[in-house]
Amino acid sequence: MTEHITLIEDDAPHILIVDDDRRIRSLLSKFLSDHGFRVSTAETAAAARDHRKALVFDLIVLDVMMPGENGVEFAKSLRTDNDTIPILMLTARSESEHRITGLEAGADDYLPKPFEPRELLLRINNILRRAVAQDAGPVVPDAIRIGPLVFHRARGELQRDGETIRLTERERELLKIFSDDPGGTVSRHELVDDGSAGSERAVDVQINRLRRKIENDPANPTHLQTVRGVGYKLVVDPW
């Protein structure tokens, strides 16, 4: 069931809050609206799907613990459908394993409750800022080959035989980081993003998700390789 839509400006980022707690929905909606965002709210995953049939959103703020289809299941279903909308997951569970579970489901960021509203705002702005930067891209086209795949840095697109492979915002960002120095080692520490995962273990999860899209055998990667004790490197092919 849809509750309300708060309109600010037509071109303001549109955020969908999905949480079964009416008080949290109301507080987050007011806070984000006060900071210039358009906001829609939904109390269930089903209601969120109804919203998205008619409206375009820039980001989903998603609670984990909901009746029926929970947040992890909803995130998994979106990613299974190749839906790359950024997801910021909220939960009262702060243990690292629960955080990893959320990231494995496809969340771009994870924020445990209780949290400071300003931290939520910071994380949302970081995600949206990266998305804008990626959409802009460099002026000069630049493409690299990864086996049968081609990654166009200017557009942030990964293609196979001219067909675009859907990437999450974080996966696109990782490919751009690696393609800045093909064959060079990037440490886990360098890949930790304070505005998203916040831990080196989370980076490992994101790397595994990316491998499933670029490797023939993700368990034995030939392109996105692990540099033991340091980090990762991207091995590209010559044109």
Side-chain angles (χ1 to χ4, degrees):
M1 179 174 123
T2 301
E3 290 196 281
H4 72 271
I5 301 171
T6 303
L7 297 177
I8 307 298
E9 293 189 9
D10 289 343
D11 60 349
H14 197 172
I15 296 176
L16 176 60
I17 299 170
V18 188
D19 196 308
D20 66 312
D21 189 317
R22 182 182 298 274
R23 177 175 173 273
I24 290 178
R25 292 196 306 272
S26 178
L27 289 173
L28 291 183
S29 179
K30 183 178 186 307
F31 176 76
L32 293 175
S33 296
D34 288 345
H35 283 81
F37 293 101
R38 291 182 293 156
V39 182
S40 297
T41 67
E43 62 185 33
T44 65
R49 286 193 178 88
D50 287 342
H51 265 298
R52 300 196 67 214
K53 291 176 182 177
L55 299 169
V56 175
F57 296 94
D58 298 284
L59 181 143
I60 297 176
V61 176
L62 177 63
D63 184 42
V64 170
M65 302 302 292
M66 297 188 297
E69 184 179 7
N70 64 38
V72 171
E73 293 167 342
F74 181 43
K76 282 183 178 179
S77 72
L78 292 177
R79 297 310 186 222
T80 299
D81 293 338
N82 291 322
D83 192 325
T84 60
I85 185 171
I87 298 172
L88 173 58
M89 194 166 281
L90 306 179
T91 181
R93 297 176 172 179
S94 59
E95 295 87 348
S96 62
E97 285 307 311
H98 293 303
R99 182 170 66 249
I100 297 304
T101 298
L103 293 169
E104 287 178 331
D108 294 87
D109 197 357
Y110 186 106
L111 188 60
K113 299 175 182 177
F115 55 84
E116 286 287 336
R118 288 176 300 175
E119 182 177 3
L120 173 69
L121 185 64
L122 173 65
R123 289 173 182 255
I124 288 174
N125 281 328
N126 282 342
I127 292 173
L128 295 176
R129 187 159 49 244
R130 290 196 305 269
V132 169
Q134 289 165 359
D135 288 342
V139 175
V140 179
D142 184 19
I144 59 172
R145 285 190 58 212
I146 310 171
L149 307 175
V150 176
F151 180 60
H152 299 272
R153 298 186 75 256
R155 304 194 300 269
E157 290 183 359
L158 183 66
Q159 294 185 331
R160 180 193 295 267
D161 297 327
E163 295 293 324
T164 299
I165 297 173
R166 289 180 178 269
L167 297 171
T168 66
E169 178 267 334
R170 179 59 171 157
E171 290 165 350
R172 186 176 295 111
E173 179 185 32
L174 287 172
L175 275 178
K176 286 190 175 183
I177 291 172
F178 285 119
S179 62
D180 281 341
D181 182 20
T185 298
V186 182
S187 70
R188 286 184 177 85
H189 178 72
E190 291 177 84
L191 293 173
V192 169
D193 187 339
D194 291 338
S196 62
S199 76
E200 294 186 6
R201 172 71 190 282
V203 168
D204 295 339
V205 172
Q206 294 163 342
I207 291 293
N208 287 334
R209 284 166 45 190
L210 181 56
R211 278 174 171 160
R212 290 198 288 268
K213 296 186 178 181
I214 68 174
E215 299 283 356
N216 288 329
D217 182 2
N220 298 285
T222 59
H223 293 286
L224 188 46
Q225 299 179 2
T226 299
V227 179
R228 189 174 298 276
V230 181
Y232 301 94
K233 66 178 180 180
L234 181 65
V235 177
V236 302
D237 296 287
W239 285 98

